[in-house]
Amino acid sequence: MSERMSMDRRGFLGLTAVSALALAGCGGGHEQPRNGGRLRALFAGGGAKETLDPHAANLFIDQARHKAIFDKLTELGSDLAPVPRLAESWEVGEGATVWRIRLRDAVFHNGKKLSSEDVLYSFARILDPNSAEFTGKSNLSTLDLPNCRAIDPRTVELRLNRPNADLPTNLAALGVVIVPDGFKDPAQPVGTGPFKFGSFTAGRTFTATRFDQHWEGAPRIDELHILSADADARGNALRSGQAEYAHEVNPTFARTVAADKSAQIIVTPGCTTQAFALKTDRPPFDNPDVVLAFKLIADRQRLVDVVLAGKGQVGNDLYGKGYRYYPQDLPQRSRDPEQARSLLRKAGALNTPLTLYTSSASAGFVEAATLFAQQCGEAGVKVDVQTGPSETFWKDQLVKGEIGSHRSGAMPIPEFLNIRMLTNSPYNISAWRHADFDADFAAAQSTVDEAERAALYQKLQRRVYDKAGLLVWGHPDWLNAATPKLHGIESAPPNTLNWARFDKAWLS
Amino acid sequence: MTKYVLRRLALAVGQLVALSIVVFSLTAMLPGDAAEVRQSEHMTPEQVAALRNQLGLDRPLWTRFLEWAGAVLHGDLGQSLSSGLPVNQIIGESIGCTAVLAGVTVLLVAPLSTVLGIASAVGENGRLDRVITAVTLGLAAIPDFVLALVFVAVFALQLGWSPATWVGVTDLCTPELLALPVAVLLCRSLSLLTRQVRAGTVTVLHAGYVVQARRLGLPRRTVLLRHVLPNAAVPAVQDLARLGDNLLGGVLLVEAIFAIPGVATALITAVQQRDVPTVQGLTMVLAAFALLIHLLADLICDRLVPRTELLR
C-alpha cells in the first residue's frame, strides 16, 4: 500500500512537471478544476472522545467531519457575519422576538426532502436537558421552543423568549446542525451535506463519499478521508504523500516546507487571540489603575516575536480584530513602563507579589507567561508563574491566581461578550461582572437596526478596552498545509464557512 | 507442575484485584473528573453538573468501584466515560497494533540475539565479539525517539522506502508499515538480550560440567547445543518475557512518532480524559498479559533446566 502511495507521489511530481510544461507551452497559467480523486485531510485527534454526533461537536476534527455530512441554517463568513446556508432567507419582526426562516430546497442523503419539521426536531434535540454535553445549547438559549412552529414545509417560525437580533449568528454556532426528523443513531449519520457517510473509527479514521444531489452542487472530489494525527505526524504524513491536507501546522514546519517546496502553507492571518486575564474581582485588579498599569507593562511586539515566532499580529486588548462590530478606530496601546510604575505607585501595588496561573493546555501559554512575568519584573512588580495541570486548566483558571493565561478561537464578537464578559458567563475569565454592562449587552442584542446595533456593540468594547481585565497581546496566524496538487482551499478563520471546506477542493 | 500453575494463577488473580484497587484510587486522586475534562466553554456549571450526574460521577467512589468490579466478573469492562463506547472495543482496537508490533519484534529479536550472543561468547574477547558488542551497545545508547526521528527523516521522507506514519492505515500487517517502528524497537532491545545470552553462555562455557564434557571428547556442536545453550538461555528467556511485557505495555514515544494508535496512546488519552473505566480495563488486560507471559517464561525455563521446586 505504501509503495503505491510513494509511487503516487513520485508519479504526481512527474505529472505536474509535465503538465506545467505543457500548460506553459500553451501559454496558459491556470489549470482547470478537475473532478475525482481522494482527499485525505489530517486534524489533531481526540482519541475516543471524537464523536460523530453533530450536536456534541467540540474538537476541530469533529467539526470538520460534521461539516462534510451536515449543513447548518447559516454559517459565518470570514468577518464572522452570518451567511445563508440551509436558511435561504429570514425576516425578523416584533422587536426581534419572532423570526421567519425560509428553507432551501435541499435533500438528505436518504432522499428525504428538508422540511421545517427537521429544523424543529434538530433544535429540540440540541436543547434536550438529558444531553448535557450538546454544544449548541447556549446559542439557542433564547428560543421559546414550545411556541416555535412550522408555517409550511419550507418556512419555520422561531419565537424567542427575549429579543435577539443576532439570531442568524447563533444559528451558525458550533453544534447547531440540522439533522433529519427522528435522527437517533449518530453512528449512522444522515445529513444534507456535500458528502455521504462511509465509515468512522474514533481517534483514527473517517471516510465519506461525494453526494451528487447536494443543494450547492456536487463536490469535485469523489472521496474524503478525515484522519486523526498529532502535529509531527501530520507534517510527516503530508510530506511523505500519505495525505493531501494538514490542519494546524507549526511555524517550524512552515519554514521547512517553504525551503523545499514540498507543500503549500495556507495562512489565515491573526484569526485567534492570545491574552492574559487580569481578574478584576480581587486585589489589586479591583483598582482600574492597576489594570491599566499592567496593560502598559506588556511589550506586545516582543511577545509576538518570541512566543509566536513572529507569525502573528499585535493585539490591542480587544477580542476579534477585523471581525464584524470591531471598533477599528481605537489607538494601539503600547508599552509605557514609566506611566505604569507611577500608576502602580499611586495604587500602592508595587510591592505585592502576584500569581500568574498557566499550564501547557495551549501552545505558547507557559512561554508567554514566563516572558510577561519577566516584563512585569522589569517594571518593578513581582509576578510568579504557577503552572497547573492542563486537563482541568480551563476550569481552574477561573479561581486560581490574580492573572491567567487565555486564548480564544474565532467566534463572533457578540458571542465572545456573551460567554466571557457577562455576570453569568460560564467562562468569565477576567471576572468582569457589571449589571450595567449586562444591560447594555441585552440592549445591543435586541436592536434590530444594523448600524445602531453595531454602535452599541462598539460602545461595549470601548469599555472593555478602557476598564476590563483583558490584556490581549497577540493574534497568531493560523497555519494549514496542503500538498501542491490540492487546489480550491481558501484561507479562513476556524469555525467559519470556508474553514475545513472540502467540497470546493480539487486535485490536479 | 499443575499444582504450581494453579497456585501461580490464583496468585495472579489476587495481584489483579490489588492492582485494580490501586489504579482506581490513583485515577480518582487526579485533579478533575471526566465531566470537567469534557466541559467546553459553552457549557454552564449546571450543564457540567448534569453531565457529571449522567456519567454517574456524583456517586460515592466505593459504589462505582464495586459496580465496575461486578461487571468485570461478567466479562464486561464497562463503557468509556469520554465516548460511551464499550471499553472492550477500545482495548480491542488499540491492542491490535501493539500486539503486531510487539509480536514481530519478539519473533525477530529472539533468534537474532541468540545467534549473536553465542557467536560473541564462543569467540570471547575476539574481534567478532568486540564488533557485536560495540554495535549493539552503540544502538542501545541512542534513545528510541532519536532513532525513530532519524529513521523517519532518512527512510521515509528522503528515500521514500516506507510510509512515515500509520495515519489512516487499515491493514497493519504490511512489511513496509512495520519496517521502521520494528527496526527502532529491535535496535533498542537487541543489545540487552545479546548481552544476556553472551554472559550466560560465557559463564556456562567456563562451568565444570562443560569443561568436563569437552574433556570427554564430546563434539563441540553437541556441547554447545545440548549443554551450554539450555543453561545459558534461562536468564535470556526471562529477559525476553520482560521485553514482551514492556513492548505490550506500549512504547509511547515510538507510537507517538509513527502515529500508531496503540495501547500506550490509548492509555495516556484515557488518563488525560479521566476515563476511569478505560484506564482500569487497559491496565487489567495488560497486567493479566504480563502475569501470563512471566508464568509462561518460568515454565519454559523449567523445561530447559528442570528444577525441583516446580514439581512440589
Side-chain angles (χ1 to χ4, degrees):
Chain A
M1 176 173 171
S2 68
E3 192 51 34
R4 185 148 25 93
M5 285 191 293
S6 57
M7 285 302 287
D8 275 356
R9 182 157 177 263
R10 265 179 247 137
F12 132 70
L13 285 173
L15 266 182
T16 35
V18 170
S19 55
L21 282 175
L23 282 170
C26 300
H30 274 285
E31 285 181 79
Q32 283 301 309
R34 282 173 44 178
N35 290 345
R38 171 185 64 174
L39 196 172
R40 291 162 300 177
L42 308 175
F43 285 72
K49 206 160 80 168
E50 293 172 13
T51 176
L52 269 189
D53 193 321
H55 295 153
N58 197 3
L59 308 167
F60 280 137
I61 190 164
D62 290 340
Q63 296 178 53
R65 286 168 176 164
H66 302 156
K67 188 174 218 161
I69 295 181
F70 298 96
D71 283 310
K72 295 175 182 171
L73 288 179
T74 61
E75 287 272 9
L76 300 170
S78 290
D79 60 348
L80 284 281
V83 178
R85 296 294 288 168
L86 286 182
E88 200 172 55
S89 60
W90 51 80
E91 284 165 34
V92 57
E94 293 178 37
T97 56
V98 181
W99 289 79
R100 275 198 183 189
I101 292 173
R102 178 81 184 148
L103 298 179
R104 209 174 281 277
D105 187 9
V107 280
F108 285 98
H109 301 155
N110 58 10
K112 193 178 95 70
K113 262 188 179 301
L114 169 76
S115 83
S116 306
E117 297 302 332
D118 301 316
V119 174
L120 294 174
Y121 176 81
S122 301
F123 290 168
R125 187 171 186 268
I126 294 166
L127 290 170
D128 181 356
N130 291 323
S131 313
E133 79 280 27
F134 282 0
T135 35
K137 276 186 206 300
S138 64
N139 271 286
L140 294 185
S141 62
T142 54
L143 274 193
D144 177 14
L145 199 61
N147 289 316
C148 296
R149 62 195 178 109
I151 304 265
D152 64 52
R154 280 181 57 194
T155 314
V156 197
E157 185 179 88
L158 298 179
R159 288 194 167 263
L160 310 186
N161 46 34
R162 58 185 163 82
N164 180 9
D166 274 320
L167 186 75
T169 309
N170 297 133
L171 297 179
L174 178 68
V176 185
V177 163
I178 303 304
V179 296
D181 189 4
F183 176 82
K184 286 215 168 57
D185 181 14
Q188 291 301 323
V190 173
T192 56
F195 294 94
K196 288 185 288 189
F197 174 69
S199 66
F200 170 65
T201 311
R204 292 189 206 178
T205 59
F206 164 92
T207 63
T209 51
R210 194 182 65 207
F211 178 48
D212 289 323
Q213 286 93 52
H214 188 238
W215 57 270
E216 220 185 358
R220 293 196 175 277
I221 52 168
D222 290 335
E223 221 180 298
L224 174 65
H225 293 202
I226 296 181
L227 313 168
S228 322
D230 287 342
D232 290 333
R234 289 199 293 280
N236 287 338
L238 190 79
R239 287 178 68 201
S240 75
Q242 289 183 292
E244 286 72 35
Y245 179 85
H247 184 249
E248 280 189 282
V249 294
N250 57 40
T252 321
F253 179 80
R255 267 199 302 275
T256 313
V257 297
D260 69 5
K261 304 266 188 295
S262 55
Q264 44 172 328
I265 297 294
I266 300 158
V267 185
T268 308
C271 63
T272 59
T273 293
Q274 291 278 348
F276 294 110
L278 314 171
K279 291 155 191 181
T280 50
D281 64 341
R282 62 202 77 167
F285 297 115
D286 50 356
N287 181 344
D289 281 351
V290 182
V291 173
L292 180 61
F294 271 75
K295 289 177 179 173
L296 294 171
I297 284 173
D299 186 344
R300 295 171 176 76
Q301 187 61 51
R302 180 133 180 82
L303 281 158
V304 169
D305 288 345
V306 173
V307 181
L308 307 180
K311 303 258 183 218
Q313 300 176 10
V314 164
N316 196 25
D317 297 341
L318 277 181
Y319 174 79
K321 198 173 197 168
Y323 295 166
R324 186 163 78 139
Y325 307 134
Y326 186 86
Q328 303 285 359
D329 54 338
L330 283 175
Q332 173 64 48
R333 189 167 274 144
S334 51
R335 181 173 148 86
D336 187 347
E338 289 313 308
Q339 204 201 334
R341 228 193 314 266
S342 90
L343 283 167
L344 290 170
R345 197 172 299 119
K346 198 178 96 188
L350 267 176
N351 298 316
T352 14
L354 301 177
T355 301
L356 197 172
Y357 189 71
T358 189
S359 85
S360 53
S362 183
F365 264 14
V366 179
E367 293 83 344
T370 313
L371 183 54
F372 182 58
Q374 207 181 328
Q375 293 175 358
C376 291
E378 285 160 20
V381 204
K382 184 166 161 42
V383 170
D384 297 314
V385 175
Q386 190 190 341
T387 310
S390 54
E391 294 92 334
T392 52
F393 175 75
W394 306 110
K395 186 193 63 106
D396 295 342
Q397 52 129 11
L398 296 175
V399 283
K400 295 198 174 164
E402 289 84 19
I403 311 174
S405 289
H406 181 68
R407 77 171 288 280
S408 272
M411 61 180 116
I413 285 171
E415 189 181 347
F416 180 86
L417 296 174
N418 190 23
I419 66 176
R420 306 249 195 265
M421 309 299 293
L422 301 185
T423 303
N424 292 323
S425 296
Y427 271 80
N428 195 332
I429 44 159
S430 57
W432 173 255
R433 296 188 185 89
H434 296 276
D436 54 340
F437 191 88
D438 298 353
D440 286 351
F441 179 78
Q445 216 183 16
S446 56
T447 304
V448 179
D449 184 87
E450 187 81 41
E452 244 177 82
R453 184 163 77 247
L456 289 172
Y457 277 135
Q458 288 180 358
K459 190 180 141 211
L460 285 163
Q461 291 178 85
R462 288 208 170 81
R463 185 159 166 205
V464 170
Y465 176 82
D466 289 334
K467 302 268 189 252
L470 211 57
L471 197 172
V472 176
W473 57 264
H475 301 284
D477 290 344
W478 185 257
L479 305 175
N480 301 313
T483 52
K485 67 172 170 175
L486 182 62
H487 309 266
I489 301 280
E490 282 182 40
S491 86
N495 310 328
T496 62
L497 174 61
N498 288 327
W499 169 82
R501 193 170 184 199
F502 300 114
D503 56 322
K504 298 291 171 219
W506 56 278
L507 298 159
S508 57
Chain B
M1 178 79 169
T2 323
K3 227 169 152 187
Y4 172 78
V5 172
L6 286 177
R7 216 170 52 224
R8 282 283 296 266
L9 286 177
L11 181 65
V13 171
Q15 286 169 316
L16 286 178
V17 171
L19 184 72
S20 71
I21 296 173
V22 172
V23 172
F24 190 87
S25 328
L26 285 178
T27 322
M29 273 158 65
L30 288 173
D33 60 17
E36 261 166 41
V37 175
R38 268 170 79 171
Q39 172 174 14
S40 74
E41 59 191 5
H42 301 270
M43 285 165 80
T44 59
E46 293 76 39
Q47 267 171 274
V48 179
L51 183 61
R52 183 167 293 131
N53 176 271
Q54 208 173 302
L55 297 174
L57 292 173
D58 49 358
R59 291 170 313 143
L61 268 182
W62 59 270
T63 327
R64 275 152 53 199
F65 180 77
L66 287 181
E67 266 180 26
W68 174 83
V72 168
L73 290 181
H74 294 97
D76 175 13
L77 289 173
Q79 284 184 326
S80 156
L81 291 182
S82 47
S83 65
L85 289 176
V87 171
N88 296 9
Q89 185 188 332
I90 295 177
I91 293 176
E93 281 168 1
S94 58
I95 227 161
C97 295
T98 308
V100 169
L101 267 188
V104 173
T105 308
V106 167
L107 281 181
L108 288 174
V109 86
L112 262 178
S113 60
T114 311
V115 169
L116 290 176
I118 292 180
S120 263
V122 170
E124 194 187 347
N125 294 330
R127 191 176 292 165
L128 185 64
D129 181 25
R130 290 206 194 120
V131 170
I132 292 174
T133 307
V135 170
T136 52
L137 267 184
L139 286 174
I142 309 172
D144 47 4
F145 64 93
V146 175
L147 266 184
L149 288 173
V150 170
F151 282 8
V152 167
V154 174
F155 298 113
L157 297 181
Q158 283 298 321
L159 300 171
W161 288 353
S162 178
T165 68
W166 286 32
V167 166
V169 163
T170 42
D171 183 9
L172 304 180
C173 295
T174 60
E176 307 96 270
L177 202 60
L178 289 170
L180 293 186
V182 166
V184 173
L185 297 177
L186 207 58
C187 289
R188 289 292 290 159
S189 43
L190 195 57
S191 105
L192 175 76
L193 277 161
T194 306
R195 304 281 303 158
Q196 193 66 265
V197 172
R198 181 190 177 278
T201 314
V202 165
T203 315
V204 179
L205 279 175
H206 292 298
Y209 63 92
V210 172
V211 176
Q212 181 65 12
R214 283 235 185 102
R215 218 176 275 154
L216 287 174
L218 285 178
R220 191 180 152 81
R221 215 180 137 86
T222 315
V223 175
L224 261 183
L225 292 180
R226 293 276 287 281
H227 301 283
V228 177
L229 187 58
N231 285 288
V234 170
V237 167
Q238 298 287 6
D239 270 336
L240 196 62
R242 206 166 301 140
L243 173 70
D245 161 23
N246 279 345
L247 289 176
L248 261 189
V251 266
L252 185 63
L253 291 168
V254 173
E255 283 188 11
I257 289 168
F258 292 101
I260 298 170
V263 166
T265 312
L267 192 55
I268 205 150
T269 316
V271 172
Q272 281 167 352
Q273 298 176 352
R274 305 287 185 266
D275 186 356
V276 184
T278 307
V279 174
Q280 291 273 88
L282 277 168
T283 41
M284 286 300 101
V285 170
L286 293 176
F289 258 119
L291 292 169
L292 279 179
I293 288 176
H294 286 287
L295 175 58
L296 197 67
D298 286 349
L299 293 177
I300 290 175
C301 289
D302 179 57
R303 294 292 296 177
L304 290 172
V305 186
R307 271 160 225 227
T308 44
E309 74 238 42
L310 262 68
L311 300 170
R312 260 184 273 143

